[in-house]
Amino acid sequence: MSHAGNGRTAPPSLCEETPTATPTAPPSTAPSSAASGSARRDAGRGKPRDPFLDNAKYLTILLVGLGHAWAPMVSDSDTAGALYLATYTFHMPAFIVISGYLSRGFAGRPAQVRRLVTGVAVPYVVFEIAFTLFMRVIENPDRAFSMFTPSYALWFLVALFVWRLTTPVWKALRWPLPVALVIAMVASATPGIGGAMDLMRVLQFLPFFVLGLQLRPEHFELLRHRAMRVAAVPVLAASLVFGYWALPRMNSTWLLRHDAAPEMGVPAWVGPVMTLATFGCALAMTAALLALTPRRTTWFTSLGAGTVFAYLLHVYPIHLARQYDWYSLPGADSTLGRAVFTVLALAMMTALCTQPVRRVFRCVVEPRMEWAFRCLDATDSGRSEQAPAVRRLAAR
């Protein structure tokens, strides 16, 4: 999710907060050549981006788009249903784990809070208003407007805001991941949570973010072993086979994590059990995806810098397709038709990650808003954009 732009330093992306003490990327996954390293800079701050993480972000955002594109096909195709279940098991968990890893440096400094507001809170407000108006035009002129009920995919912005604000707490705990899992398990058994700000999802997806906070470069090194890459293929294949088996037997709402067990018509104790089961499955599939993710710079590496743009913008064509019933067009319910929708979804997500799209929408996805914040000195900001200038003045 990136940030070059028109000769100015752009704020970091929605899902990225660079650590101050720990390297962002595993050392061995950094660009191998000086040319590739110097050509790709993180947020204009002179720090090389890691191709492995950008590749992983691009692949996960493709899965997000595919999952939304396949959803209307589930009732007509077992294959689409199996792919849907397999994808929904881990596409958001993988995205969130990476977001957590890139948030390890958040300590609540003024500059970091500023980036959290401009990169998460402001886009939430803008896109909540935009989506409400959009749906009033294409579906319901009387659609209610509420900042406290996130529309469609916007729940993630709410969750990321809460998770990142609480990062210092998770870093201070002795056993953060078990605590986060207990919170998720309790939430899954407690009805009535998921109303305001989609709090149920915030709590149930929390363990993946906390897991990302605990990861270190050496953990990614483990995935480089040949045995891990070889094992990744049968893991992903088994998930598809399991999807076929689970399709008529499992309520896919478990994977959405927006309802408690009693609200789904099952005993409360099932919620914690399913929380642990889905966490384990998502973790295994995320590890398999990361094991197969290229470490080198590829043709799509630069697109990993624009995944937040694709995440926020893809919902509009997705809803147009559903509202105007593109899935009922002649041939759409055939194998070829479903393949065409799949290719279109891949093309859409790829296009939305490109530099021209980022340039157009950066003003609302990554606004600078300098007028809204007081000037920060180097001590306040830690990594303030003013710090280099302050050091130069001090040296004179």
Side-chain angles (χ1 to χ4, degrees):
M1 309 168 186
S2 185
H3 330 288
N6 304 326
R8 69 182 187 183
T9 300
S13 66
L14 177 65
C15 293
E16 186 165 354
E17 182 64 47
T18 307
T20 56
T22 309
T24 300
S28 61
T29 65
S32 57
S33 68
S36 62
S38 61
R40 302 176 60 251
R41 299 293 177 181
D42 180 35
R45 293 194 297 263
K47 182 173 65 62
R49 295 182 65 89
D50 172 43
F52 168 67
L53 293 176
D54 276 337
N55 292 339
K57 287 189 286 184
Y58 172 72
L59 294 177
T60 53
I61 203 64
L62 287 185
L63 292 173
V64 170
L66 287 174
H68 290 159
W70 286 333
M73 307 178 189
V74 170
S75 60
D76 299 324
S77 168
D78 288 346
T79 299
L83 288 169
Y84 173 85
L85 286 180
T87 300
Y88 264 74
T89 299
F90 81 110
H91 72 324
M92 284 308 298
F95 200 59
I96 293 167
V97 166
I98 296 172
S99 298
Y101 181 76
L102 294 172
S103 297
R104 292 171 301 144
F106 187 88
R109 293 189 298 273
Q112 293 177 323
V113 173
R114 169 178 171 169
R115 292 196 294 267
L116 183 61
V117 171
T118 58
V120 180
V122 172
Y124 172 76
V125 173
V126 171
F127 281 91
E128 183 62 47
I129 295 172
F131 188 78
T132 300
L133 296 176
F134 172 76
M135 294 303 289
R136 284 180 178 180
V137 171
I138 72 167
E139 183 184 52
N140 178 16
D142 299 320
R143 180 184 175 91
F145 172 78
S146 173
M147 280 293 174
F148 300 100
T149 307
S151 299
Y152 202 52
L154 292 178
W155 68 267
F156 177 68
L157 301 192
V158 175
L160 184 60
F161 189 89
V162 174
W163 296 334
R164 189 164 285 171
L165 273 183
T166 59
T167 291
V169 175
W170 300 112
K171 291 166 65 176
L173 292 179
R174 188 181 297 274
W175 299 291
L177 184 56
V179 171
L181 279 170
V182 169
I183 291 174
M185 293 165 65
V186 172
S188 70
T190 308
I193 292 180
M197 305 309 291
D198 222 338
L199 184 59
M200 180 64 79
R201 276 175 165 164
V202 175
L203 298 178
Q204 288 206 43
F205 278 108
L206 172 64
F208 299 104
F209 184 83
V210 174
L211 173 63
L213 291 175
Q214 306 309 304
L215 293 179
R216 295 295 179 265
E218 53 267 28
H219 298 130
F220 291 101
E221 283 298 303
L222 296 175
L223 299 177
R224 291 174 57 86
H225 295 171
R226 178 178 175 81
M228 294 296 294
R229 296 198 300 271
V230 171
V233 176
V235 167
L236 294 177
S239 70
L240 185 58
V241 173
F242 180 80
Y244 274 103
W245 176 86
L247 187 60
R249 299 175 175 85
M250 175 181 168
N251 187 345
S252 62
T253 305
W254 287 112
L255 305 177
L256 302 179
R257 295 175 172 85
H258 58 50
D259 291 315
E263 295 168 334
M264 298 170 61
V266 296
W269 64 264
V270 178
V273 172
M274 288 299 294
T275 296
L276 292 177
T278 54
F279 179 81
C281 291
L283 184 59
M285 295 175 70
T286 297
L289 175 69
L290 295 178
L292 296 175
T293 298
R295 262 65 180 174
R296 66 186 184 281
T297 299
T298 69
W299 66 266
F300 57 81
T301 299
S302 62
L303 299 176
T307 51
V308 60
F309 293 83
Y311 184 85
L312 292 173
L313 295 172
H314 83 282
V315 300
Y316 297 94
I318 288 290
H319 276 273
L320 284 173
R322 296 180 181 181
Q323 180 62 28
Y324 293 105
D325 216 10
W326 295 356
Y327 289 90
S328 296
L329 293 173
D333 59 347
S334 66
T335 300
L336 177 60
R338 287 186 284 271
V340 168
F341 273 106
T342 299
V343 172
L344 288 176
L346 293 173
M348 173 187 68
M349 300 306 288
T350 299
L352 292 177
C353 290
T354 58
Q355 184 63 261
V357 173
R358 283 144 51 188
R359 187 178 299 115
V360 170
F361 290 97
R362 179 166 284 126
C363 61
V364 291
V365 175
E366 296 173 343
R368 294 179 63 85
M369 296 183 61
E370 294 176 343
W371 55 268
F373 299 91
R374 66 180 179 87
C375 293
L376 302 175
D377 59 29
T379 303
D380 285 337
S381 66
R383 285 182 176 267
S384 172
E385 296 171 5
Q386 300 179 18
V390 171
R391 288 195 294 268
R392 286 196 296 270
L393 290 172
R396 292 180 180 177

